[in-house]
Amino acid sequence: MIKKILLGLVATVVLLIIVGFFLPGKMDIAKDIVVNAPAEYAFEEVDVLENWNKWSYWNTLDTTMKITYNETPRGTGAAYAWESEDMGPGKLNITESIPNASIKADLDFMENGAAKAWYNFQPEGEGTKITMGFSTDFGMNPIGRWMGVFMKPEMNKAFDHNLAKLKELAEAKPKFTVKISEESVAPINYIGISNTMSPKDMKAVNAQMEKMYTELYSALQKSKIEPVGSP
């Protein structure tokens, strides 16, 4: 009886391994969302690694996760490592950062493999389209391929959470409208007297400014020049 059970378990394991070779060897996920905010509002949340705690799904799964950042706070070269009893150790490194346009990162899950992540920020009407992507290759490892089958639903859940949080954060920031135009103005002539003083002695500064103003005004009167506007 025990022999039959053992043979059945072995047969099941062998079957699972064989099936594993026919499962997808790669996992590629990409999702996007449109936010009613300029690209820089969302970009900085991803580019600055210490901001990830505000929107990353994985941080919500283990609030005791230990995170160590390197000396580069943002952009290309920024990296952090994590240690988690629930999810194991890992590292993330930003390999490319194009301001307000795109970010690429390498992920190292140690014995569980490696992956690449990317984030694009594209203008969409008056807002920004954020696209988040993830790619990993399980190779010929049947166990890794089985892991991919169970990981994909959780990854989709993580993407939905992350994009929704980035949208919330970006749209909550104050919006400013700046209009830049070119104008033609009449030439302006001015005269002045230069002097260097220490800002620590404001009493002396005020006295010197009063003296300089008197000298300028006297020079204008002698030259019969009428000053226009505030001194």
Side-chain angles (χ1 to χ4, degrees), residues 79-104:
Y80 75 83
W82 70 85
E83 295 179 17
S84 168
E85 291 185 5
D86 298 330
M87 295 177 287
K91 296 179 180 178
L92 179 143
N93 176 54
I94 295 180
T95 57
E96 180 183 274
S97 175
I98 301 175
N100 306 325
S102 65
I103 294 172
K104 293 180 181 179

Side-chain angles (χ1 to χ4, degrees), residues 54-203:
K54 296 186 291 183
W55 58 266
S56 176
Y57 171 75
W58 308 109
N59 290 56
T60 67
L61 300 182
D62 183 1
T63 56
T64 64
M65 181 189 302
K66 182 181 178 182
I67 298 177
T68 305
Y69 300 94
N70 73 348
E71 65 280 0
T72 305
R74 67 179 300 168
T76 304
Y80 75 83
W82 70 85
E83 295 179 17
S84 168
E85 291 185 5
D86 298 330
M87 295 177 287
K91 296 179 180 178
L92 179 143
N93 176 54
I94 295 180
T95 57
E96 180 183 274
S97 175
I98 301 175
N100 306 325
S102 65
I103 294 172
K104 293 180 181 179
D106 285 346
L107 290 156
D108 183 358
F109 300 113
M110 307 304 178
E111 69 273 9
N112 293 321
K116 293 185 179 297
W118 49 270
Y119 307 82
N120 284 345
F121 306 83
Q122 299 172 302
E124 183 86 3
E126 295 184 356
T128 304
K129 179 180 179 182
I130 307 173
T131 304
M132 182 179 295
F134 175 91
S135 177
T136 187
D137 190 337
F138 303 113
M140 293 302 295
N141 185 345
I143 297 176
R145 294 186 177 199
W146 272 111
M147 286 179 59
V149 171
F150 296 105
M151 279 177 58
K152 195 162 187 177
E154 192 71 4
M155 290 297 297
N156 281 316
K157 182 178 179 181
F159 273 42
D160 290 339
H161 172 95
N162 293 347
L163 289 169
K165 291 298 291 184
L166 286 173
K167 178 180 175 70
E168 178 184 328
L169 290 168
E171 293 183 347
K173 296 178 182 180
K175 298 177 177 61
F176 302 96
T177 301
V178 178
K179 183 179 180 181
I180 300 176
S181 61
E182 183 177 344
E183 304 289 341
S184 296
V185 296
I188 299 175
N189 297 315
Y190 69 93
I191 62 171
I193 301 175
S194 64
N195 193 290
T196 303
M197 299 188 69
S198 172
K200 296 181 180 180
D201 190 349
M202 292 306 300
K203 185 176 181 180

